[in-house]
Structures are given as C-alpha cells and as structure tokens.
Amino acid sequence: MERPGRVERDGGRVGEGHRFAPGDVVVRREILHGETWFACPTVCVEDSPDLLVLYLPPGAQFGFPETGRFPCGRHPWQVAGHRAWSGHGKLMLHRPGEAHSVDVFWAGPERAFAGWYFNLQDPFRRTPIGVDTLDHELDLWWPADADRYVWKDVEMFAQRLEEGRYPGRADAIRAEGDRIAALLDAGERWWDEAWASWRPDPAWPVPALPAGWDAVPPSR
C-alpha cells in the first residue's frame, strides 16, 4: 500500500540538505553534545513541505562512531550489543520544527498494527546525507487495543538527566510531552491514521550506511 495522499519532491536545497525521493536512503543520526553518537539507514517514504516519513526496516545495521569524546558514555544500544533493527520495522512521521515523531509499529505473524509511539526528540535538521536529531528518552505509547496512552521511560529520563544528557532542557522536553498528552486527551489527531495499514515496497533493499556517514559534520 502506498502512502495516502500525494508525494511531492522539489529539486532545490532545503536547509542544509535536499529533499529525498521515495526509496532513497536517508541517514538518521543522533547528535549528542555536538558529536555524532549513533546512526541508522532509513528509507524515504515521503518528503513533502509538511511531512517527512522515514521507514526503518528489519535488518538495517546501526552505526556507532569509532572515535569521540562521548561525555555521557557510548550509546546504550552499542553497550547492549544491539547492531541492527529487528521485527517488522517501524515508520517515523515527522513534521518540520516539532520536537517529536509519531512512530508506527506492527507485531505478530500477520503484521497487525500494534500502536502509535510518540517519540520525543530534537526537531529534525537536514544534512547532505539525511537528518540529524537526538532522542529524548521520554515517550508516550498508545497500544492499538488500549483506550488511552501511557508514559514510557519516566524513570530512565530522570536518570539521563543525572548523566548530563540534556543540560538545561528538562523542562522543555517535559513540556513537549505534556503538550502531546493534552492534544491526545482533547481527541486531536495530527497524523493520518491510515498509516497504520501502510506496507513497505517489497522491491526496496535493506538500506546500508554510506561510507563516511560519520565524517559529515553534525548539523546545528
């Protein structure tokens, strides 16, 4: 199934990067304290003026820089030995300037819709190879079979603050979570729920990180 609605592309420059076409590899990197901390290759589903949709397929290999200061330590997935995405993959819906993405998950042999995941993160910034952001640990999860969302990783967020991961930003991160919760409580839906039935193009290969992905200067 293709994305509901239209797909647009322009050939000009947007920010520090360009728009991507469906099927293009888009490198999603996390930038912590001014240095690249983590990367994964995703596939562009849509890149229009008001929406960037990326797909992280199963088998996509993670990238962890070999050198850096890493004042908060190595990425937790690197420490835990996670090297690639598994499961059915996930879809990430981003609106420009917003400090979260709406992620779509599926589960089970039938690839049934599992729920909406509101991932708090830096607003995405374009680079020549993709986008830069930083996960904020704190999230909201609304399972498909539930009447209401739940908060995730509240205790872990507090621990990350103690580790110095988000200096001076705790209030803003919590405020974004509260804003999302208030919208959901009011019945607002700012994303197209038809994404729940989206399926990837079977012709897409598993994307790989391009050579030099960690040498591209972090966006600011």
Side-chain angles (χ1 to χ4, degrees), residues 24-181:
D24 283 352
V25 175
V26 178
V27 179
R28 180 191 179 278
R29 302 189 305 180
E30 294 199 8
I31 308 300
L32 180 61
H33 295 311
E35 62 183 8
T36 302
W37 196 41
F38 167 79
C40 60
T42 69
V43 180
C44 176
V45 177
E46 175 179 337
D47 191 0
S48 61
D50 59 353
L51 188 66
L52 173 65
V53 183
L54 303 177
Y55 173 59
L56 179 60
Q61 296 287 320
F62 301 149
F64 305 100
E66 294 184 1
T67 60
R69 297 176 297 109
F70 308 120
C72 295
R74 292 284 188 163
H75 193 281
W77 287 359
Q78 184 177 14
V79 175
H82 299 316
R83 295 293 180 262
W85 190 261
S86 59
H88 289 288
K90 71 169 179 174
L91 205 61
M92 297 170 281
L93 316 178
H94 313 75
R95 295 201 301 185
E98 291 197 336
H100 74 276
S101 64
V102 180
D103 297 354
V104 192
F105 283 87
W106 298 270
E110 301 299 322
R111 194 179 178 273
F113 171 60
W116 307 106
Y117 192 98
F118 304 90
N119 191 68
L120 303 189
Q121 60 183 31
D122 287 356
F124 74 85
R125 306 178 300 276
R126 293 181 183 271
T127 73
I129 61 171
V131 295
D132 285 352
T133 184
L134 176 64
D135 186 84
H136 291 167
E137 196 73 55
L138 189 64
D139 307 296
L140 297 90
W141 166 241
W142 196 325
D145 58 355
D147 295 329
R148 183 177 170 82
Y149 60 86
V150 294
W151 288 87
K152 280 191 80 279
D153 300 326
V154 175
E155 295 81 7
M156 185 62 71
F157 176 66
Q159 179 180 326
R160 299 308 186 205
L161 293 178
E162 293 181 1
E163 295 170 356
R165 189 179 294 186
Y166 315 110
R169 303 176 64 191
D171 289 346
I173 293 171
R174 291 191 187 98
E176 176 67 359
D178 290 341
R179 185 180 75 87
I180 292 171

